[in-house]
Amino acid sequence: MDHAADAHRTDLMTITRFVLNEQSKYPESRGDFTILLSHIVLGCKFVCSSVNKAGLAKLIGLAGETNIQGEEQKKLDVLSNEVFIKALVSSGRTRILVSEEDENAIFVEPSKRGRYCVVFDPLDGSSNIDCGVSIGTIFGIYMVKDDHEPTLDDVLQPGKQMVAAGYCMYGSSCTLVLSTGNGVNGFTLDPSLGEFILTHPDIKIPKKGKIYSVNEGNAKNWDGPTAKFVEKCKFPTDGSSSKSLRYIGSMVADVHRTLLYGGVFMYPTDKKSPTGKLRVLYEVFPMSFLIEKAGGQAFTGKQRALDLVPTKIHERSPVFLGSYDDIEEIKALYAAEGKKE
């Protein structure tokens, strides 16, 4: 038995240790955020375990219900939603929860209330479960003053007001990517320890990328700037190499690749979805928050994505997010289109 190697393994930067280190930078901190995050991490571990044995436990089939978005719910969706609601409420640090799977926001009972509102998609990309493609959980956290009775306005805030955001991807490994407002860090679950270990410290998205990611099946319905940008990716006029198309169809997996390798992830408006397809609160905002904190940009076609002010909890929006220079190109195409009108 290699005792030296085992001893070294106790010197790892776990997510708990990382968050406690961050907390120590703020002497006024009460530790509430650390407790909330530990409950989110527990939820992610539970869902990861369930995803891994979904086939064995017959969790893959449909639950026979339809969620608020009109999508048929998979059993894993239902389970994941219950797991996160219970984990968040039991933390005693939340006030309002908004889940993709629930029509209405959940207001936590007064005895278990805290200072945070959490918006989340418990299992994004669940239509890909059956074919083994990576799926994930997305979450965003707002802090509110606890001097009033909570209302929906506490969560209907622009994304720039979030204090933290992240996602957990369940794939060949289980990876949790998190930003508490100061940089972006990635942690990978070590199954033998049951701990998330820091494996991607201080992620920075490349300034320009070689990949574009979009559902080209919608091309006939795109607006002019989107079509022009994709044309430019395929047939560059400046002598540069063409960009590669990579589209998984699972937002967590597509954004994760974009964050690490650079490029652009796009879900534009089109004639079928004039207001866009992705949900603002728990898909567009958390991912835009992470991309910006890693040095990239997120744009809706009209404005910075994090400046949007949602009016409904399940509101949708188009989004272009990724490398700084690539998003600048898209912004220029939209500006040129606007001048023509």
Side-chain angles (χ1 to χ4, degrees):
M1 192 170 171
D2 190 343
H3 292 291
D6 281 350
H8 177 67
R9 280 163 67 83
T10 60
D11 191 31
L12 297 166
M13 178 60 81
T14 65
I15 193 164
T16 310
R17 203 174 132 201
F18 180 86
V19 174
L20 285 168
N21 284 356
E22 287 294 300
Q23 182 191 316
S24 66
K25 295 175 189 172
Y26 303 93
E28 73 285 1
S29 172
R30 304 193 311 215
D32 287 356
F33 182 73
T34 306
I35 292 165
L36 173 61
L37 216 51
S38 71
H39 280 251
I40 290 173
V41 167
L42 179 63
C44 291
K45 287 179 187 172
F46 196 102
V47 173
C48 177
S49 168
S50 301
V51 168
N52 288 342
K53 62 187 181 202
L56 295 171
K58 292 195 168 53
L59 288 165
I60 280 177
L62 293 170
E65 292 177 34
T66 301
N67 72 1
I68 178 60
Q69 311 303 334
E71 300 158 340
E72 284 191 308
Q73 282 185 308
K74 299 257 176 174
K75 288 180 184 173
L76 262 177
D77 290 23
V78 179
L79 175 75
S80 306
N81 195 38
E82 286 174 4
V83 164
F84 278 102
I85 288 169
K86 282 179 180 163
L88 291 164
V89 171
S90 68
S91 74
R93 300 299 183 276
T94 55
R95 286 172 88 72
I96 306 172
L97 309 178
V98 173
S99 166
E100 191 222 14
E101 299 295 337
D102 294 319
E103 184 171 0
N104 300 311
I106 296 165
F107 291 86
V108 179
E109 62 182 273
S111 63
K112 292 181 179 171
R113 261 182 214 160
R115 299 189 293 170
Y116 295 97
C117 299
V118 183
V119 293
F120 61 99
D121 185 345
L123 205 61
D124 186 75
S126 52
S127 60
N128 290 310
I129 295 167
D130 298 0
C131 59
V133 168
S134 294
I135 52 182
T137 299
I138 309 172
F139 61 91
I141 303 171
Y142 291 101
M143 188 166 85
V144 291
K145 292 191 174 75
D146 46 12
D147 58 357
H148 66 278
E149 196 60 26
T151 69
L152 270 187
D153 289 339
D154 290 327
V155 284
L156 294 176
Q157 299 185 56
K160 63 187 176 189
Q161 307 284 15
M162 280 184 171
V163 293
Y167 60 81
C168 188
M169 184 173 73
Y170 316 111
S172 52
S173 60
C174 180
T175 307
L176 196 152
V177 174
L178 173 72
S179 174
T180 55
N182 185 20
V184 180
N185 292 278
F187 303 82
T188 304
L189 183 65
D190 180 337
S192 66
L193 296 173
E195 284 279 10
F196 279 100
I197 310 298
L198 180 64
T199 49
H200 297 75
D202 198 20
I203 298 169
K204 294 275 184 261
I205 187 169
K207 200 151 187 293
K208 194 170 176 63
K210 297 176 181 171
I211 295 170
Y212 73 103
S213 182
V214 67
N215 183 353
E216 292 226 30
N218 295 329
K220 67 176 183 181
N221 297 315
W222 285 343
D223 61 14
T226 304
K228 280 179 192 156
F229 180 75
V230 171
E231 184 75 5
K232 212 169 161 189
C233 290
K234 295 178 180 179
F235 307 104
T237 51
D238 58 2
S240 61
S241 301
S242 304
K243 289 189 192 297
S244 298
L245 169 66
R246 296 282 183 273
Y247 185 68
I248 298 164
S250 177
M251 190 190 188
V252 170
D254 277 314
V255 171
H256 186 66
R257 185 202 54 249
T258 304
L259 195 58
L260 296 184
Y261 300 160
V264 184
F265 169 79
M266 303 182 272
Y267 216 117
T269 56
D270 58 38
K271 288 170 192 157
K272 281 192 305 180
S273 309
T275 55
K277 188 90 185 288
L278 297 175
R279 271 72 66 158
V280 173
L281 270 183
Y282 40 80
E283 290 176 328
V284 174
F285 279 171
M287 293 310 202
S288 300
F289 186 91
L290 290 165
I291 289 284
E292 279 200 9
K293 295 300 177 189
Q297 294 194 80
F299 180 61
T300 66
K302 291 180 180 171
Q303 65 185 115
R304 175 190 176 206
L306 291 178
D307 286 340
L308 271 175
V309 183
T311 55
K312 300 192 293 285
I313 59 172
H314 297 296
E315 194 168 308
R316 296 171 189 258
S317 169
V319 73
F320 302 82
L321 49 83
S323 295
Y324 192 94
D325 289 355
D326 292 322
I327 300 296
E328 281 295 302
E329 276 187 45
I330 293 171
K331 284 160 101 172
L333 288 167
Y334 271 97
E337 183 89 355
K339 280 178 191 160
K340 277 191 233 163
E341 288 171 3

